[in-house]
Amino acid sequence: MDGRDWGLFLLPYEQTVEELKVKFKTMRAELKKREEYAPIEFVTGRVKRISSILEKAKRLNVPMDQLETGIEDIAGIRIMCQFVEDIRRVAEYIRKRKDLKLLFEKDYITNYKESGYRSFHMIVEYPVQTALGQKHVLAEIQIRTLAMNFWATIEHSLSYKYRESLPEEMRKRLQKAAEAAAVLDNEMSSIREEILEAQKKFEDDSNITSQALTLIHQLYFYHLVNEAMEFQERFNRIWVSQGADRNTEEMKELLEDVKQMIASYRKEDSNDDQV
Ligand code: 0O2
Ligand code: 0O2
């Protein structure tokens, strides 16, 4: 049996997990401040248990003196997102980072595993500063939605319980459950799209309304009092008739008409100045 000091061996991995957790939690906080919506929901991390490292080394035929290069996920970070689209965004942020080196990616979302497992994996090389100098450590970053995480967490505990003997019937039901989680993710994405579109339309409508009011008000400055009053009445009529199903077309026409009036008045005004 390998007589290494495991505590010492795992130290840089523990440091890597702690540092990366802080960095991605900070990224979440920053994005939330900047955009009022963070593509990262929460971040977790762990160092692989010694028994799992040994089992994996055996399964993958990794010699004991090559664990550092042969096993990529001794340090593991998990980033959970609300929506599938967020996963691509987070991956893009990671690709651009200067404090780690991306080695390769595994897209288990497009190419999901036979078990039904879905996630986006990035294997990175992270430089940790130890008392003996800099050390490059491999780490695996798993990015997934809350639904993917829900499925993977439960499937993982069942797989551990049953190991190789997971009954065929159970395997099939888990595959179906993974499909259901993917359907849920797609449905949530499309609901989100519709909400974003509705928000945008609402913002567009209120911009048109406030622009129209501002320009009507400007007419008074040009002493176009009768015109201002007419436009104001027209505005009121449209506003009252709009109800729940807003007719922005009429408001847009009004806005264009006021703009034209102001433009032609300005032209006349500058002609007068030249006389
Ligand atoms: P925050 O800022 O609220 O996310 P730690 O060392 O304390 O940072 P630890 O002890 O390793 O982290 O815990 P773990 O299990 O890795 O979990 C990390 C964070 O994820 C914790 O938040 C958990 O509360 C959070 N978390 C875990 N599972 C879920 C979940 O299902 N939903 C949500 N929303 N969060 C979850 P922190 O660290 O307290 O801080
Ligand atoms: P842990 O720490 O217990 O989660 P392989 O395809 O097996 O030759 P390898 O190196 O295992 O290659 O990499 P892979 O397949 O990319 O998987 C790495 C990790 O992804 C796993 O770590 C799991 O965390 C997760 N994973 C992959 N497939 C599944 C799956 O079918 N179900 C669940 N729940 N998770 C999966 P470990 O080693 O299992 O360890």
Side-chain angles (χ1 to χ4, degrees):
M1 190 59 203
D2 186 57
R4 82 176 67 215
D5 182 338
W6 280 98
L8 216 50
F9 173 77
L10 292 178
L11 220 47
Y13 293 97
E14 278 157 12
Q15 193 177 334
T16 299
V17 168
E18 288 310 311
E19 289 184 15
L20 287 177
K21 269 202 317 199
V22 167
K23 289 182 176 189
F24 290 117
K25 284 183 180 189
T26 308
M27 186 192 267
R28 168 186 153 81
E30 188 196 336
L31 288 170
K32 216 171 176 183
K33 281 228 167 69
R34 281 192 200 285
E35 305 176 23
E36 289 177 1
Y37 164 74
I40 296 174
E41 184 61 17
F42 65 94
V43 179
T44 63
R46 61 98 185 93
V47 173
K48 213 175 180 65
R49 278 180 297 139
I50 299 171
S51 58
S52 305
I53 297 175
L54 294 175
E55 270 171 37
K56 194 157 185 171
K58 202 167 153 201
R59 180 163 61 83
L60 301 179
N61 282 325
V62 175
M64 289 303 285
D65 57 352
Q66 287 171 33
L67 293 180
E68 282 107 327
T69 48
I71 299 188
E72 305 147 351
D73 67 340
I74 297 178
I77 294 289
R78 225 166 246 172
I79 300 178
M80 264 55 68
C81 309
Q82 289 186 12
F83 300 100
V84 184
E85 297 73 24
D86 297 338
I87 296 176
R88 311 276 160 208
R89 269 185 69 194
V90 173
E92 199 47 43
Y93 285 126
I94 294 176
R95 286 185 199 112
K96 285 187 190 146
R97 288 191 78 99
K98 299 270 188 282
D99 57 347
L100 47 80
K101 187 174 160 203
L102 177 63
L103 298 183
F104 54 91
E105 301 178 351
K106 298 184 195 173
D107 183 353
Y108 293 132
I109 295 174
T110 316
N111 312 303
Y112 54 87
K113 289 199 155 189
E114 204 195 332
S115 60
Y117 179 76
R118 287 161 171 84
S119 263
F120 193 83
H121 292 190
M122 299 175 101
I123 309 297
V124 302
E125 195 181 71
Y126 183 75
V128 276
Q129 311 303 319
T130 74
L132 301 179
Q134 179 164 283
K135 187 174 166 55
H136 290 276
V137 168
L138 290 186
E140 180 187 68
I141 304 172
Q142 300 181 342
I143 317 172
R144 46 170 78 155
T145 60
L146 296 169
M148 291 172 190
N149 188 48
F150 173 53
W151 181 91
T153 306
I154 292 172
E155 194 268 356
H156 194 268
S157 61
L158 289 177
S159 302
Y160 262 100
K161 189 170 167 198
Y162 291 98
R163 298 269 164 169
E164 297 304 310
S165 64
L166 190 69
E168 188 55 25
E169 152 79 2
M170 195 78 89
R171 213 182 296 278
K172 288 222 170 78
R173 286 173 70 180
L174 282 168
Q175 283 170 344
K176 277 203 179 146
E179 294 292 331
V183 169
L184 176 64
D185 269 336
N186 288 338
E187 181 60 6
M188 285 305 188
S189 290
S190 72
I191 289 174
R192 178 184 182 230
E193 279 304 307
E194 278 187 32
I195 290 173
L196 288 179
E197 263 172 45
Q199 271 174 348
K200 193 173 176 309
K201 188 174 180 311
F202 179 75
E203 266 167 34
D204 288 351
D205 287 3
S206 52
N207 276 344
I208 291 168
T209 307
S210 66
Q211 270 188 55
L213 280 177
T214 309
L215 292 184
I216 291 173
H217 195 68
Q218 268 191 22
L219 292 174
Y220 288 104
F221 288 111
Y222 297 121
H223 305 293
L224 297 168
V225 178
N226 285 340
E227 289 82 348
M229 280 165 70
E230 274 169 29
F231 273 117
Q232 186 65 54
E233 272 170 27
R234 193 171 142 195
F235 177 92
N236 292 348
R237 271 199 306 277
I238 300 170
W239 185 253
V240 169
S241 72
Q242 275 182 339
D245 187 22
R246 290 170 168 258
N247 180 358
T248 32
E249 285 314 306
E250 278 183 63
M251 197 61 96
K252 273 187 202 159
E253 274 170 31
L254 180 146
L255 179 61
E256 285 313 308
D257 291 349
V258 189
K259 276 184 185 166
Q260 259 184 21
M261 173 153 290
I262 289 179
S264 61
Y265 178 81
R266 279 186 179 150
K267 213 169 149 194
E268 268 177 36
D269 211 28
S270 67
N271 284 346
D272 288 351
D273 285 351
Q274 281 167 18
V275 174

